[in-house]
Amino acid sequence: MEGRGEAEVEEEEEDEEEEEEEEEGVRITPQLLKASTGEFALESILLLKLRGRGIAHLGCLGDCANLEWLDLSGNAIAQLGPLAALKSLAVLNLSRNRVASLEPLGSCHNLQSLNVAGNLVSSLQQLRCLTGLRRLESLRLRDPLARLANPLCAAPAYRAALADMFPGLKAIDGERVSGRGSELYQLCRDLDSSLGRGGGGAGTGTEPPRAAQPWVEASFWEPQPPRRSSIMEEAYKQFGEVLQECRELSRRADDTIAQAERALSGRPDPNSFVF
């Protein structure tokens, strides 16, 4: 009976240890990375998707020195320390985690797209560490479709503040703010603001009506001339040269055939000789 009691106690202790490990969350290990990617060397991993794995600790992730694309969404990550070593990282998805400090990402100088929707970023001050990322073009703090946001998103003008803080951004929360497609976005914003001002002025009569202005420049809808890359231009040039050579060879062949026909027609017919 005493033996059985000790065994039961040992089993309970093991169960408690397992529960503690589960509460602490999964840690990224070399074995986990190799099993997920099929790569034998961590330096060979370029793309890594670890979505919804219950990961809480990034562990050895910093050893993936050449990693370019990383998806860690839907986990329990709070600390990003190992990511500071990923100098080649260009795309990072950290949505639906527990991140409050983005400080380590300030060392990811190649970062172009960052998604931190559904985390704990509460102030613009927590984003200032990213202002040195010259290649950052897309920053997402809010995802309405997935119902993800950050405490910072409760501020009504946070997007305008982001645009001022990161003038190089082309997209904020998935909407274009500069570059191709941004004209329509800016048009909608201007239209909304003008309708808002118009409604207030109509009630008070304090603002005189203004003349209607075109939404876009006069040349906006004109088709743009097709662009040819230098590669295409060189290909067209080489094709023209080859075509010219073929025409010259065809002309020479025609001349040779004509000369041969004339030579054959000038020979006497051997059957015409009389012996």
Side-chain angles (χ1 to χ4, degrees):
M1 296 294 292
E2 292 181 359
R4 292 181 181 176
E6 292 177 358
E8 290 176 357
V9 170
E10 290 179 357
E11 290 179 359
E12 290 177 359
E13 290 177 352
E14 290 177 357
D15 293 339
E16 289 177 359
E17 290 177 358
E18 291 178 358
E19 289 176 0
E20 289 178 359
E21 290 180 358
E22 290 178 359
E23 290 177 359
E24 291 177 356
V26 176
R27 177 182 294 272
I28 293 180
T29 62
Q31 292 76 17
L32 187 151
L33 294 175
K34 293 175 182 179
S36 301
T37 63
E39 298 287 349
F40 291 99
L42 300 187
E43 295 82 1
S44 301
I45 301 176
L46 302 179
L47 184 150
L48 183 59
K49 182 177 179 181
L50 295 174
R51 180 184 300 175
R53 297 287 195 93
I55 296 171
H57 307 282
L58 297 182
C60 66
L61 188 57
D63 294 335
C64 302
N66 297 312
L67 194 62
E68 298 177 359
W69 190 98
L70 177 60
D71 185 353
L72 291 170
S73 59
N75 286 290
I77 300 167
Q79 303 296 328
L80 303 180
L83 297 186
L86 304 182
K87 307 301 182 182
S88 299
L89 191 62
V91 178
L92 175 59
N93 186 351
L94 285 167
S95 62
R96 201 183 291 111
N97 276 281
R98 303 174 184 174
V99 178
S101 174
L102 303 175
E103 195 71 31
L105 300 184
S107 300
C108 301
H109 300 298
N110 199 47
L111 195 62
Q112 300 174 23
S113 176
L114 174 61
N115 184 352
V116 289
N119 280 276
L120 304 176
V121 180
S122 58
S123 68
L124 290 172
Q125 187 64 33
Q126 292 174 296
L127 298 173
R128 293 196 179 278
C129 59
L130 306 179
T131 54
L133 302 181
R134 303 303 179 190
R135 296 188 177 184
L136 188 63
E137 297 182 351
S138 176
L139 177 59
R140 183 185 284 275
L141 293 171
R142 180 173 175 268
D143 188 345
L145 295 179
R147 298 181 180 180
L148 298 175
N150 282 269
L152 171 61
C153 302
Y158 83 93
R159 292 181 60 180
L162 281 180
D164 292 338
M165 184 182 296
F166 300 96
L169 285 181
K170 294 183 179 180
I172 297 176
D173 294 345
E175 295 185 3
R176 301 285 291 185
V177 294
S178 68
R180 187 175 181 86
S182 62
E183 295 88 353
L184 180 60
Y185 170 73
Q186 186 63 39
L187 171 62
C188 294
R189 289 190 61 184
D190 294 344
L191 184 59
D192 288 341
S193 59
S194 64
L195 289 176
R197 290 193 300 268
T204 60
T206 57
E207 293 187 6
R210 295 180 297 175
Q213 299 295 325
W215 288 359
V216 295
E217 297 179 0
S219 61
F220 181 81
W221 302 109
E222 294 180 2
Q224 299 296 322
R227 297 180 179 178
R228 288 183 178 178
S229 65
S230 58
I231 297 177
M232 291 298 296
E233 291 289 351
E234 182 64 23
Y236 277 114
K237 179 181 177 181
Q238 293 182 7
F239 178 76
E241 293 175 353
V242 172
L243 184 60
Q244 185 64 29
E245 291 178 1
C246 290
R247 289 173 177 170
E248 180 65 21
L249 290 174
S250 177
R251 186 186 63 79
R252 292 179 181 178
D254 291 341
D255 292 344
T256 302
I257 292 173
Q259 291 176 5
E261 289 178 347
R262 286 195 298 270
L264 291 174
S265 62
R267 290 181 179 180
D269 187 355
N271 295 328
S272 62
F273 292 101
V274 178
F275 296 95

